[in-house]
Amino acid sequence: VGTILTAVAVLWVYNPTGYGDDFLAALENLCGGNSHLVTLAFGIIFPIVHSGLASLRPLGEKVVGARTWRVIFAFPSLCLAYSWITYFISHAHDGYQFYDISQIGWVHSLAWCVNFISFFFLYPSVFNLKEVAAVEKPKVHL
């Protein structure tokens, strides 16, 4: 896990050595600088890459092994997820504001509680570190 996160940091996130900013600049150029279209493009590119690599897992594991395939699979997924999330946060307030509920105090608490509850129930069912590191065989968690 440490190796893949270091690779993501050096090859994608860190500006002097990473390609994340170049990818984002190309995507913004392709979308004409429209942040809504860039977010939509991330929403199209990420699932294609993530699902495409997941569909190649049986072949990839035969060729390079289970652990190496997990690293190959994780790298582009983590890079694109990082870029998509940071771009979304940076541009969350672009566009027209239809309402402003920031002055209603209980709304923040409600949103925090709903997010906590969803994380509390969903996190254990979708993430197992032993599966990511290929110590255990991946299985469907329902």
Side-chain angles (χ1 to χ4, degrees):
V1 175
T3 303
I4 190 66
L5 292 178
T6 301
V8 168
V10 171
L11 297 173
W12 194 258
V13 176
Y14 186 56
N15 281 338
T17 59
Y19 293 100
D21 52 342
D22 299 328
F23 175 78
L24 184 57
L27 199 56
E28 285 178 327
N29 188 28
L30 181 71
C31 295
N34 185 330
S35 62
H36 302 294
L37 292 178
V38 172
T39 304
L40 178 63
F42 271 121
I44 294 168
I45 294 168
F46 177 81
I48 289 171
V49 169
H50 191 76
S51 298
L53 289 173
S55 70
L56 293 173
R57 189 178 108 213
L59 176 65
E61 286 182 350
K62 287 178 188 173
V63 174
V64 295
R67 287 187 181 182
T68 305
W69 181 253
R70 296 296 186 309
V71 171
I72 293 169
F73 173 78
F75 182 75
S77 295
L78 288 172
C79 291
L80 288 171
Y82 168 81
S83 294
W84 191 7
I85 290 167
T86 56
Y87 189 84
F88 177 80
I89 290 170
S90 297
H91 297 274
H93 300 290
D94 289 359
Y96 185 77
Q97 184 174 348
F98 290 108
Y99 52 87
D100 181 14
I101 55 173
S102 63
Q103 303 304 317
I104 305 172
W106 60 268
V107 173
H108 180 268
S109 299
L110 176 68
W112 192 94
C113 290
V114 169
N115 280 306
F116 176 79
I117 291 168
S118 68
F119 179 80
F120 182 74
F121 286 112
L122 292 175
Y123 180 79
S125 67
V126 298
F127 186 69
N128 181 352
L129 224 63
K130 290 181 179 179
E131 290 176 7
V132 172
V135 174
E136 290 181 1
K137 185 174 176 100
K139 49 192 167 285
V140 176
H141 302 277
L142 297 175

